[in-house]
Amino acid sequence: MSFLAKNDPEIYALFEQELERQSYNLEMIASENFASNAVIEAMGSILTNKYAEGYPSKRYYGGCEVVDKIENIAIDRAKKLFNCQYVNVQPNSGSQANQAVYQAILKPYDKILGMDLSHGGHLTHGAKVSSSGKNYQSFFYGVELNGRINYDKVREIAKIVRPQVIVCGASAYPREIDFKTFRSIADEVGAYLFADIAHIAGLVAAGEHQDPFPHAHIVTTTTHKTLRGPRGGIIMTNDEELSKKINSAIFPGIQGGPLEHVIAAKAVGFGENLKPEWKVYAKQVKTNAKILADVLSKDGFDVVSGGTDNHLILLSFLNKEFSGKDADHALENAGITVNKNTVPGENRSPFVTSGIRIGSAALTSRGMRDKEFTFIAQKIAEALNNINDTSIHAKIREEVKELSSKFIIYDRPTY
Ligand SMILES: *Cc1c(COP(=O)(O)O)cnc(C)c1O
């Protein structure tokens, strides 16, 4: 019997419920994935006991000789994976990684040019409710009605705004990001190029998406999305001076003692990303997203930008009677978890929206391939084509359960 089951049955029972939920629903939120048992084991370890403020061999506490080795392995593996020279593996999240980047390179009221949140950008790219939009002046570029970034327009905006930093990378953009063109724009206006590859890092690591290096001055990513490691962030650069500023911005700038247990789990995750199997996984993630796009567009759904180059698709319901919120609810009832999302030409509120975002990374980790994704796309279409028919949703839910029970992800969960 587990320690948790014995010491805290109340929490343990909820863990069991969550395992059930993760096992028998189809997880298609584009920012989620299933970390391996090894990653989870590293996260739930005795390393949580250790204080290690500072950096390897420059700590403010004694007894860091082992965690130093672990943090250095995490750094070395990330360097290899993303082909760069300096990595900070301490950010507790993607948002904190981004906050530290701004703190390292900007003064208060400097100008950020980022992708509009409602066009697929992230809160930390200058949104007014985020510290990135409160401490700095933020300006935005977006996508055209065809769902794509128009780089000529980004250049025009950059020339008018004259930002200190241009942020590229997105949370809901189904197309390849052209880092090289972004860099040429940044150079033209004398700005840093900061690439936030939180969503696509797993594809970049596999050579399945254009590399942000050598184009970006600074790159951040989360480690828990397509990269499939523990929840957290990292910051990378090839510039020694920038790396020093970034390190001070993380500690003592915005964080205290690093989560060495999570850093160990990051190292384990990067180890998985470096294996040849990772390339097979990343390819299949893209294939599976393409299948969703193909089947759903054949069924009459409007796939934003006409398809996908990565792990996600956006469906637009501007030409339908129902909203993103309605679609999200219908799919939830059918056992398929997605999220509502704004779409180009949006005419509803951000709480309602006219679209949904669907990702393939998590189910691909469960081993689902072409056949299963074709079936899932058909079920999504069936649920949406019968948006108000709860008995059809209930029927799909049973079919989904039958499929997911053939792809059990944690047969010996370590919680
Ligand atoms: C998810 C995401 C983040 C933030 O990551 P958290 O770990 O949730 O703070 C930052 N940038 C982009 C583009 C993201 O998609």
Side-chain angles (χ1 to χ4, degrees):
M1 197 184 192
S2 85
F3 294 103
L4 190 55
K6 207 156 72 195
N7 290 5
D8 197 330
E10 189 181 7
I11 290 291
Y12 183 78
L14 291 170
F15 272 47
E16 286 194 307
Q17 276 181 35
E18 175 62 8
L19 177 64
E20 171 99 6
R21 191 194 68 81
Q22 291 189 13
S23 301
Y24 298 109
N25 282 279
L26 293 179
E27 183 51 70
M28 304 192 85
I29 292 177
S31 49
E32 295 192 8
N33 212 328
F34 294 108
S36 70
N37 276 317
V39 164
I40 291 170
E41 195 172 310
M43 249 190 300
S45 67
I46 55 164
L47 296 189
T48 192
N49 299 332
K50 188 70 201 99
Y51 244 113
E53 281 180 339
Y55 290 98
S57 358
K58 284 169 286 195
R59 304 282 192 186
Y60 292 82
Y61 287 84
C64 289
E65 57 277 10
V66 179
V67 292
D68 273 8
K69 285 184 189 153
I70 290 171
E71 190 164 333
N72 279 328
I73 291 172
I75 291 168
D76 287 341
R77 288 181 183 173
K79 287 204 266 197
K80 214 188 237 171
L81 206 49
F82 293 102
N83 202 9
C84 65
Q85 291 181 49
Y86 303 95
V87 183
N88 186 312
V89 294
Q90 294 191 359
N92 295 336
S93 71
S95 296
Q96 275 175 296
N98 292 356
Q99 193 187 347
V101 168
Y102 299 134
Q103 180 151 322
I105 60 175
L106 301 179
K107 299 186 300 300
Y109 306 111
D110 272 355
K111 290 182 253 180
I112 297 176
L113 175 58
M115 191 164 177
D116 196 324
L117 180 62
S118 68
H119 287 232
H122 189 260
L123 281 164
T124 57
H125 298 182
K128 290 296 165 206
V129 291
S130 136
S131 70
S132 63
K134 290 192 206 292
N135 300 340
Y136 311 103
Q137 300 183 66
S138 50
F139 301 85
F140 303 100
Y141 59 88
V143 294
E144 303 285 289
L145 282 176
N146 66 11
R148 292 177 189 252
I149 295 170
N150 176 338
Y151 291 89
D152 294 331
K153 273 205 181 153
V154 178
R155 193 181 302 270
E156 264 173 50
I157 298 169
K159 281 181 174 168
I160 296 166
V161 170
R162 296 259 149 201
Q164 276 71 35
V165 62
I166 296 177
V167 192
C168 63
S171 299
Y173 186 63
R175 293 302 181 174
E176 178 119 357
I177 289 169
D178 186 352
F179 299 115
K180 192 170 176 204
T181 302
F182 264 115
R183 174 61 184 262
S184 75
I185 297 169
D187 283 347
E188 229 174 293
V189 300
Y192 283 114
L193 180 64
F194 164 26
D196 175 354
I197 61 168
H199 258 265
I200 52 173
L203 305 179
V204 170
E208 290 294 320
H209 188 290
Q210 189 185 128
D211 277 325
F213 288 118
H215 310 297
H217 296 96
I218 302 178
V219 177
T220 62
T221 181
T222 55
T223 46
H224 50 276
K225 295 180 183 173
T226 54
L227 214 45
R228 210 169 75 187
R231 191 159 289 280
I234 62 173
I235 310 174
M236 302 172 273
T237 183
N238 281 324
D239 182 311
E240 189 178 0
E241 285 311 305
L242 280 179
S243 80
K244 286 180 188 157
K245 288 182 184 167
I246 288 164
N247 286 351
S248 323
I250 283 288
F251 175 83
I254 63 168
Q255 290 188 179
L259 311 179
E260 291 296 342
H261 54 306
V262 176
I263 290 171
K266 285 173 182 169
V268 173
F270 298 150
E272 294 174 6
N273 304 142
L274 283 165
K275 288 188 180 149
E277 298 91 285
W278 188 258
K279 291 195 196 301
V280 180
Y281 166 72
K283 268 204 168 67
Q284 190 67 46
V285 166
K286 279 171 68 175
T287 302
N288 288 345
K290 280 201 172 59
I291 291 170
L292 295 175
D294 289 349
V295 173
L296 286 160
S297 53
K298 279 199 191 100
D299 219 314
F301 287 91
D302 179 4
V303 178
V304 172
S305 83
T308 175
D309 300 327
N310 58 26
H311 62 298
L312 66 85
I313 66 166
L314 287 174
L315 288 187
S316 168
F317 309 128
L318 286 173
N319 62 353
K320 303 260 181 206
E321 302 284 288
F322 56 84
S323 69
K325 190 176 171 191
D326 298 332
D328 186 350
H329 279 169
L331 291 172
E332 186 79 57
N333 289 335
I336 300 170
T337 315
V338 301
N339 62 280
K340 60 180 187 276
N341 216 97
T342 51
V343 293
E346 185 58 70
N347 55 17
R348 292 182 170 100
S349 89
F351 302 102
V352 181
T353 79
S354 301
I356 53 173
R357 184 183 70 160
I358 314 178
S360 60
L363 294 185
T364 308
S365 292
R366 290 180 71 163
M368 295 187 191
R369 300 168 56 90
D370 306 43
K371 184 169 143 242
E372 291 77 28
F373 269 80
T374 304
F375 175 79
I376 292 164
Q378 287 162 347
K379 292 296 137 185
I380 291 173
E382 188 182 350
L384 297 180
N385 284 329
N386 298 281
I387 193 87
N388 292 318
D389 192 331
T390 50
S391 64
I392 288 191
H393 301 161
K395 178 208 74 150
I396 296 173
R397 193 180 185 90
E398 285 311 305
E399 294 171 323
V400 156
K401 193 160 181 179
E402 195 187 320
L403 171 66
S404 47
S405 48
K406 291 188 202 130
F407 292 86
I408 284 305
I409 170 130
Y410 299 118
D411 53 350
R412 275 195 314 122
T414 45
Y415 291 108

